[in-house]
Amino acid sequence: MGFLLESLKASIHLIVTWDPAFSHAVWTSLYVSAWSIVFASLLGIPAGLAVGLTEFSLKRPVITMLNSLMAVPTVLIGLLVYGFVSRQGPFGGLGLLFTPAAIIVGDALLAAPIVANLALSSVRGSNTAILPTAMTLGGSRFQSVLKLLSEIRFGMMAAVISGFGRVVSEVGVAMMLGGNIFGYTRTMTTAIALETSKGEFAFGIALGLILMAVALAVNIVFQFLQRR
Amino acid sequence: MPLYRLESVTKRYRERVALGIPALVIGEGGIHSLSGPNGSGKSTLLGILAFLSPPTSGALYYDGKRVEWKERSLVALRREATLLHQAPYLFEGSVLANMTFGLKVRGVEGEQRRRRIAESLEMVGLGGFEHRRARALSGGETQRIALARALALSPRVLLLDEPLANVDRESAEVIRAVIAGLPARGTTVIMTTHDPDVPGRLNGEAIRLEEGRLSAAPDVGTAAGQAPGVPHRFELRLLQGPGECGS
């Protein structure tokens, strides 16, 4: 118990003094997570809307596939993207491996099915009168879909926040594609994994607390927007 | 020239035939009532006339032109025919935001937009409701706001799905009075009802549907020489002028 309390005390000291190594890991995590959720949303929201609003023969298999993709292990996505961006891969010439950009690509692929599925659920759970109402009032298909999006914006926000929660807390993609390079691709989660294995338990706890604070802050913002 | 002409129009939902109309002509002006029991195809027909739902087969002519069920041409047609659902959906936000959507997509801005909104709200007896929260309104107020939202667009055709159902007495009176005055403003009204008394009260013409097929109603004027009750191969002409109906 004393060990835990000592570690907690040391972790709070680390947070208060805001160690540069510590702050860089926090910044890198937020940076790659923010960009990856932007790309995941650009892929996932239109995909969820398209599947939810159109009827096609393969709709059920597509939904099953989207559901399955939500459960894909992070290391598998890391492995797949590694194959593409490693020096011998088709995009090896871009020099993406072990850069924040590679983590962003991997995390975007990880979060896109989550955003798509939750966007799809939001569309399917929405009032079926929204689209016909917007259309009969004179909206084009595009304008009516925008209206629908505005009506179900909290569902969409929840989808984006869930995706963000997934990428900010994952280790596999960041480790395999970022390489955990100090001051460059080291994220909060890879730093926790490394520092804990080195016995720097307090450092790990401090980053864990920051990670929880980020999740809490995002949810508070979401609740605030919901109330407005 | 008739406003709508339907030729061999059918609508199927999987195996079920929801609508089968060999021929129907609806003239411009007046109040046309569309009656029949639940499930008779009234709402399905309204959806087709509002250009929201294409028929499975057959042709629909509007203003003498065959309707091409393609998005580009449908937007322009939908801006002439507005459908008011039985349980209208009001968007999140204020009454003003609800009223603004249709005007905004038509490019109606500024003072003209404000004036049209205020006038429409006055017509339904809810002047000054602009800043009320749409979702906090009562059932009758919701129906009246939805009617005002449609009226603000000055549609050529107003399609009403059971507008008097589920509303309080006061709202029903207001809605009835507004509908009765619309032909004089150049709007053709087509409204569904399963209340046999409503067409008479509105002093309009009647189309009756049963099991998705046209049927002669007792108050139908002319049925192209057919005896009442003959459901098939039936052409109904409703060429009432704006001055012939109303309050």
Side-chain angles (χ1 to χ4, degrees):
Chain A
M1 198 64 187
F3 164 70
L4 286 176
L5 283 174
E6 280 304 309
S7 301
L8 189 64
K9 218 186 287 179
S11 69
I12 290 167
H13 177 73
L14 269 170
I15 294 170
V16 172
T17 55
W18 204 249
D19 183 88
F22 181 83
S23 69
H24 202 281
V26 173
W27 167 246
T28 306
S29 262
L30 294 179
Y31 174 80
V32 295
S33 301
W35 276 110
S36 58
I37 201 61
V38 166
F39 291 120
S41 301
L42 289 174
L43 284 172
I45 290 176
L49 282 173
V51 176
L53 295 175
T54 50
E55 293 303 323
F56 52 97
S57 53
L58 294 174
K59 186 165 178 164
R60 197 173 284 267
V62 166
I63 292 173
T64 306
M65 192 188 72
L66 277 176
N67 279 321
S68 309
L69 284 174
M70 279 175 78
V72 170
T74 56
V75 285
L76 191 62
I77 289 180
L79 199 65
L80 183 78
V81 178
Y82 188 98
F84 278 89
V85 300
S86 68
R87 194 156 288 188
Q88 289 142 327
F91 302 116
L94 297 174
L96 289 177
L97 192 60
F98 303 137
T99 67
I103 308 176
I104 291 170
V105 171
D107 278 350
L109 292 176
L110 179 70
I114 296 169
V115 176
N117 258 304
L118 295 178
L120 171 64
S121 298
S122 196
V123 170
R124 291 172 104 188
S126 68
N127 191 318
T128 52
I130 300 174
L131 218 49
T133 299
M135 287 163 95
T136 199
L137 291 173
S140 64
R141 178 92 184 156
F142 181 68
Q143 287 165 329
S144 303
V145 170
L146 286 184
K147 192 69 194 170
L148 170 73
L149 266 177
S150 139
E151 292 292 297
I152 58 170
R153 60 192 176 280
F154 296 120
M156 293 294 158
M157 277 187 217
V160 171
I161 286 169
S162 299
F164 182 82
R166 180 78 176 107
V167 294
V168 82
S169 61
E170 71 82 26
V171 193
V173 168
M175 191 70 92
M176 289 179 75
L177 299 174
N180 200 14
I181 302 167
F182 176 74
Y184 185 49
T185 57
R186 184 163 299 171
T187 64
M188 282 192 271
T189 51
T190 58
I192 290 171
L194 179 74
E195 298 299 332
T196 308
S197 68
K198 280 162 56 184
E200 296 287 346
F201 192 57
F203 197 91
I205 287 184
L207 284 169
L209 288 173
I210 295 289
L211 205 53
M212 284 185 63
V214 168
L216 192 67
V218 168
N219 275 294
I220 287 171
V221 171
F222 177 57
Q223 300 267 338
F224 173 73
L225 290 172
Q226 220 168 2
R227 275 199 205 126
R228 280 186 67 204
Chain B
M1 186 188 291
L3 189 61
Y4 287 103
R5 189 156 59 87
L6 285 78
E7 284 180 4
S8 309
V9 163
T10 66
K11 182 76 182 180
R12 286 172 184 271
Y13 294 107
R14 295 180 189 274
E15 296 306 306
R16 192 175 73 86
V17 180
L19 200 66
I21 298 180
L24 175 66
V25 174
I26 301 174
E28 183 152 21
I31 302 172
H32 307 280
S33 73
L34 188 53
S35 63
N38 285 337
S40 60
K42 303 186 298 288
S43 300
T44 303
L45 179 56
L46 276 195
I48 292 171
L49 299 178
F51 313 108
L52 288 172
S53 169
T56 310
S57 64
L60 171 67
Y61 293 83
Y62 176 76
D63 214 11
K65 293 189 190 108
R66 187 176 173 145
V67 174
E68 297 293 328
W69 294 90
K70 287 176 183 159
E71 179 62 17
R72 191 178 287 183
S73 55
L74 288 175
V75 174
L77 292 174
R78 285 189 200 121
R79 288 182 184 178
E80 293 200 9
T82 305
L83 171 64
L84 179 58
H85 291 273
Q86 181 180 353
Y89 181 87
L90 294 187
F91 300 126
E92 186 72 47
S94 66
V95 167
L96 184 67
N98 269 275
M99 306 279 294
T100 301
F101 178 78
L103 293 167
K104 203 171 169 184
V105 298
R106 285 167 174 76
V108 180
E109 302 284 346
E111 185 51 39
Q112 197 191 356
R113 185 156 86 194
R114 246 189 320 274
R115 187 178 47 75
R116 280 167 74 164
I117 290 171
E119 277 176 11
S120 307
L121 288 173
E122 287 294 339
M123 274 180 80
V124 298
L126 297 177
F129 264 55
E130 283 91 337
H131 300 292
R132 292 278 194 99
R133 253 191 77 215
R135 296 280 174 80
L137 301 172
S138 70
E141 286 170 341
T142 297
Q143 188 70 266
R144 282 152 76 181
I145 290 294
L147 179 60
R149 184 174 64 178
L151 294 175
L153 308 175
S154 305
R156 187 172 172 191
V157 187
L158 186 59
L159 302 139
L160 305 165
D161 195 357
E162 301 273 3
L164 303 173
N166 312 320
V167 293
D168 56 277
R169 200 186 178 95
E170 185 200 340
S171 293
E173 284 307 316
V174 171
I175 292 168
R176 198 175 287 130
V178 170
I179 293 170
L182 287 175
R185 292 164 55 100
T187 299
T188 302
V189 179
I190 302 171
M191 60 178 282
T192 67
T193 177
H194 58 242
D195 181 348
D197 294 339
V198 167
R201 281 210 299 266
L202 287 167
N203 199 19
E205 296 283 354
I207 303 167
R208 186 162 175 83
L209 282 171
E210 273 176 26
E211 294 179 353
R213 297 184 183 277
L214 286 173
S215 164
D219 50 353
V220 169
T222 308
Q226 299 256 347
V230 177
H232 301 287
R233 307 181 65 78
F234 185 102
E235 186 169 331
L236 187 62
R237 293 187 178 274
L238 296 169
L239 299 168
Q240 182 186 26
E244 293 174 55
C245 67
S247 57

